[in-house]
Amino acid sequence: MITGSAVLLVILSGIAFSGIMITYRTGQHRGIPMSHIGLFLLLGAGLFFGLRTDWSAVAACPALIYAIGLGSGLTQYAQFRVIVLAMHRGPLSPVNCALFLGFVLVILFSWLCFGETLSVLQALGVASAVACVLFGSFLGTGKPGAGGAHTPRQYLEYGFILILLFVLNSLTNISFKYLSMVPEPGDGSLMHTYGMFNLMLLYAGLFACLLVEILLQKPAVRTVLRGFVPGLIGAACSATGLWITSSLAYLPAAFVFPVSAITSILSGAIVSVTFFHERMTRAWWGMMAMGTLTAALLIADALWSGLSAG
């Protein structure tokens, strides 16, 4: 049963995820490379989950957890590189949209593997969420603060980047869903037993990739340290978002992932317009309208299901 507290937590996770992108964008405006912010973000969040890990249970940890955790770190690194490319080509809002469109694949995975079904309200909510992202993809592909793309090739290139982000981000969420549904002998699921360790491995794998990249660039230490404060802020956002999402992944995928994604899209879009002066075009308003409709439909479905169960 989906409780009111679960609804609030999922909304909080979306706001937290949006905070990561806002932190990167703020650093970009101050001339701080995303990789330098990301390094401290990963270190901070990884240490947090390392402290939360029950190390007495790690000795019996199956190899699958190591594979999924480190594999997720590698896919997240690939996603990070694509985000850098995307943010140099266009505004924040469509990047934010593409990042969290991955819920579509998670819902499909949950249906195929675990037999989860969609209610009428959930189906309408997912459809409006897709419409929200489609509106977001037309917000423009110009440089940050500039106008949109003007050639078909630019639209195609930017569209390909958004699709790649969509696929890469969905893989981690699929792993969360899988681990939350596979039972662990004795107590709960694999996520319940090894969730904190899995997240630590994710951050460790991503941190190792990014550290090698930065070392190869040989930047001045003082330059790298400029990413410390925004990195810690991003770490708090990232740890909060992933902790909530992974902990609630056992709930219907058609609720958890779309609501978190749409909350992130809406909050990110509002901040982008307010502080980064992105334009409120017709596409922006369409994105906001569809996002609001999505949240209303899915939250209404969750609350109605809870009342019916009660």
Side-chain angles (χ1 to χ4, degrees), residues 79-108:
Q79 176 182 300
F80 177 82
R81 298 311 310 164
V82 177
I83 289 174
V84 173
L85 178 63
M87 292 184 70
H88 280 294
R89 287 174 174 257
L92 173 63
S93 300
V95 176
N96 217 28
C97 287
L99 276 172
F100 300 105
L101 182 60
F103 64 78
V104 174
L105 290 184
V106 184
I107 293 171
L108 179 61

Side-chain angles (χ1 to χ4, degrees), residues 34-156:
M34 287 180 63
S35 58
H36 297 177
I37 297 174
L39 187 70
F40 292 104
L41 182 157
L42 299 172
L43 180 61
L47 288 174
F48 171 78
F49 287 115
L51 293 173
R52 296 286 305 174
T53 295
D54 179 7
W55 291 97
S56 63
V58 170
C61 181
L64 177 65
I65 299 297
Y66 287 92
I68 290 178
L70 294 175
S72 294
L74 293 176
T75 59
Q76 289 288 304
Y77 175 73
Q79 176 182 300
F80 177 82
R81 298 311 310 164
V82 177
I83 289 174
V84 173
L85 178 63
M87 292 184 70
H88 280 294
R89 287 174 174 257
L92 173 63
S93 300
V95 176
N96 217 28
C97 287
L99 276 172
F100 300 105
L101 182 60
F103 64 78
V104 174
L105 290 184
V106 184
I107 293 171
L108 179 61
F109 173 79
S110 301
W111 171 59
L112 292 174
C113 297
F114 304 116
E116 290 189 4
T117 57
L118 293 177
S119 67
V120 174
L121 285 179
Q122 286 176 333
L124 291 173
V126 171
S128 62
V130 173
C132 171
V133 176
L134 291 177
F135 273 115
S137 68
F138 286 102
L139 285 176
T141 61
K143 294 289 184 181
H150 302 290
T151 67
R153 179 176 178 178
Q154 287 176 306
Y155 278 115
L156 288 174

Side-chain angles (χ1 to χ4, degrees), residues 2 41 60 69 80 85 99 102 123 126 148 159 164 188 207 229 244 270 279:
I2 302 174
L41 182 157
F80 177 82
L85 178 63
L99 276 172
V126 171
L164 189 57
F207 176 81
V229 173
I244 293 173
I270 292 172
R279 295 181 301 162

Side-chain angles (χ1 to χ4, degrees), residues 91-287:
L92 173 63
S93 300
V95 176
N96 217 28
C97 287
L99 276 172
F100 300 105
L101 182 60
F103 64 78
V104 174
L105 290 184
V106 184
I107 293 171
L108 179 61
F109 173 79
S110 301
W111 171 59
L112 292 174
C113 297
F114 304 116
E116 290 189 4
T117 57
L118 293 177
S119 67
V120 174
L121 285 179
Q122 286 176 333
L124 291 173
V126 171
S128 62
V130 173
C132 171
V133 176
L134 291 177
F135 273 115
S137 68
F138 286 102
L139 285 176
T141 61
K143 294 289 184 181
H150 302 290
T151 67
R153 179 176 178 178
Q154 287 176 306
Y155 278 115
L156 288 174
E157 289 177 351
Y158 198 62
F160 175 76
I161 290 173
L162 296 180
I163 291 172
L164 189 57
L165 285 175
F166 152 65
V167 174
L168 288 172
N169 192 58
S170 68
L171 297 178
T172 298
N173 289 335
I174 286 174
S175 73
F176 289 164
K177 185 65 182 181
Y178 176 78
L179 292 176
S180 69
M181 299 300 286
V182 176
E184 169 70 4
D187 186 17
S189 64
L190 286 174
M191 180 62 78
H192 180 268
T193 306
Y194 303 111
M196 296 297 102
F197 184 58
N198 174 71
L199 290 171
M200 190 204 72
L201 289 173
L202 184 158
Y203 282 104
L206 183 49
F207 176 81
C209 292
L210 194 57
L211 180 62
V212 170
E213 175 188 316
I214 292 176
L215 290 176
L216 290 174
Q217 295 172 349
K218 299 179 180 180
V221 174
R222 183 175 60 182
T223 302
V224 177
L225 289 177
R226 291 186 64 205
F228 179 74
V229 173
L232 290 186
I233 296 173
C237 294
S238 182
T240 298
L242 282 188
W243 192 6
I244 293 173
T245 304
S246 61
S247 298
L248 297 180
Y250 67 91
L251 293 173
F255 164 71
V256 175
F257 299 101
V259 171
S260 177
I262 294 304
T263 303
S264 180
I265 290 171
L266 296 181
S267 56
I270 292 172
V271 171
S272 296
V273 166
T274 304
F275 297 101
F276 302 127
H277 309 295
E278 293 183 7
R279 295 181 301 162
M280 291 188 292
T281 62
R282 291 181 180 178
W284 188 90
W285 284 109
M287 179 185 71

Side-chain angles (χ1 to χ4, degrees), residues 8-18 240-241 244-245 256 260 264:
L8 293 177
L9 284 172
V10 172
I11 290 174
L12 177 60
S13 73
I15 295 173
F17 284 132
S18 181
T240 298
I244 293 173
T245 304
V256 175
S260 177
S264 180

